[in-house]
Amino acid sequence: MKRHLRPFLLHAAVLTFAAALFSTAPAGAEVASRLNEITKSKKLRVCQFPLYYSISFRNPKTGVIEGIDADLAKELAKDLGAQLEIVESSFGTFIADLQANKCDIGMFALGASLQRAQAVEFSKPYLITNVYAVTRKDGPIKTWEDVDKPGIKAAVTLGSYIEPFMKSYLKKAEVVSVAPPNTREGELVAGRVDVIMTDFPTAVKVTDEFDWAKSIEPPEKLAVTPYAYAVPQGDQVWLNFVNLFIDTIKLDGRLKKYADKNKLGPIVAP
């Protein structure tokens, strides 16, 4: 898709959504939507977890949040003609943050689970991943079979979709839930855990940046999960716009561009 068509498509979508709503609304009534609020205020509030490698990770040297969703949040704001405001959140708090109207959208590779979908609306998926193990090369874990053994401590991020899955999957190892500002990686470096259970983005980033780390893929894909953006329930206009944004960045190449930039090309959703 030609780049010059992008603003036209998004503007046309706004008009189409608005026309559809106002055609069914009583005369004189104004339909409330975050899309209307964003276009009027020229401000887009995005919830992000600043400890998520390759997705929305704050570079300790620059203080800037980097990753695919750091890039795509800027693109969404640009397409809306709005100023981007990052609201720090986490897997354990993003639902409450959305419900409390602290942000308009959660953009940090959120696993679209049925449980979470009872509290928020999910967009179309833009990435799809599964579970990996990351451990120390000099540690006790050499193969996937070593992960679930007595005495092994496996770290997961509190509130992540991986947390409940690993608690049911691991029968002998101990699952350690790590809450921000602590990180699984920090617990592994300190020797308080033997392995971290994570997804493709973190597995790639950790093994790229640290020579002591290695990743282990299970013999079969576990907990295959679509990653999507989350918006508050009850705002179909805003959800439709976010879905159109995802369709658009797939067609015009921006999703592939930023996925490749952050080494996430293999998990881009079709």
Side-chain angles (χ1 to χ4, degrees):
M1 179 178 294
K2 300 295 186 182
R3 183 170 295 273
H4 68 270
L5 292 177
R6 186 192 313 149
F8 170 77
L9 285 175
L10 291 169
H11 181 65
V14 175
L15 295 177
T16 301
F17 298 153
L21 282 173
F22 286 119
S23 66
T24 58
E30 182 175 351
V31 178
S33 169
R34 278 170 181 77
L35 181 58
N36 297 335
E37 295 170 5
I38 293 164
T39 53
K40 288 178 180 178
S41 67
K42 302 296 183 183
K43 182 172 70 174
L44 172 67
R45 302 168 301 161
V46 175
C47 272
Q48 290 192 332
F49 180 41
L51 299 176
Y52 199 167
Y53 282 116
S54 298
I55 302 295
S56 54
F57 183 74
R58 177 174 286 109
N59 187 318
K61 295 180 180 178
T62 65
V64 176
I65 295 179
E66 301 172 345
I68 186 172
D69 281 333
D71 293 324
L72 290 176
K74 294 174 184 176
E75 292 296 320
L76 178 58
K78 182 170 64 176
D79 287 342
L80 285 163
Q83 180 180 354
L84 176 63
E85 177 183 325
I86 299 299
V87 179
E88 291 193 13
S89 186
S90 69
F91 292 110
T93 64
F94 81 90
I95 291 176
D97 291 339
L98 285 168
Q99 292 175 338
N101 197 30
K102 292 183 178 179
C103 55
D104 304 302
I105 184 171
M107 296 182 72
F108 54 100
L110 294 163
S113 68
L114 294 175
Q115 182 179 7
R116 286 172 170 173
Q118 297 177 50
V120 295
E121 300 273 9
F122 282 107
S123 70
K124 296 178 179 180
Y126 66 106
L127 301 174
I128 300 176
T129 188
N130 56 285
V131 174
Y132 291 75
V134 175
T135 187
R136 297 185 65 93
K137 293 176 181 178
D138 59 359
I141 296 174
K142 307 302 180 186
T143 67
W144 183 264
E145 288 69 27
D146 295 328
V147 172
D148 195 15
K149 288 185 176 180
I152 295 296
K153 292 185 177 181
V156 296
T157 298
L158 180 69
S160 67
Y161 80 91
I162 294 176
E163 182 186 26
F165 175 80
M166 295 312 300
K167 285 184 175 179
S168 64
Y169 177 80
L170 296 178
K171 308 302 181 184
K172 301 174 183 178
E174 176 187 352
V175 176
V176 178
S177 298
V178 181
N182 297 325
T183 66
R184 297 162 302 176
E185 298 76 29
E187 295 299 292
L188 183 61
V189 170
R192 289 187 286 269
V193 299
D194 303 292
V195 62
I196 64 176
M197 311 310 301
T198 187
D199 57 4
F200 183 84
T202 299
V204 169
K205 192 69 173 180
V206 172
T207 52
D208 272 357
E209 290 201 352
F210 304 107
D211 57 8
W212 50 261
K214 70 173 182 178
S215 65
I216 302 174
E217 187 173 2
E220 59 181 349
K221 291 185 181 297
L222 299 175
V224 177
T225 302
Y227 282 172
Y229 298 140
V231 299
Q233 289 182 329
D235 193 341
Q236 191 62 46
V237 174
W238 179 220
L239 178 61
N240 287 348
F241 187 89
V242 173
N243 280 332
L244 178 61
F245 172 74
I246 292 174
D247 286 340
T248 302
I249 61 176
K250 286 180 180 180
L251 291 170
D252 67 21
R254 282 182 288 171
L255 178 57
K256 182 181 185 304
K257 171 186 174 181
Y258 291 119
D260 290 344
K261 172 187 174 183
N262 292 284
K263 299 185 178 181
L264 302 179
I267 63 170
V268 169

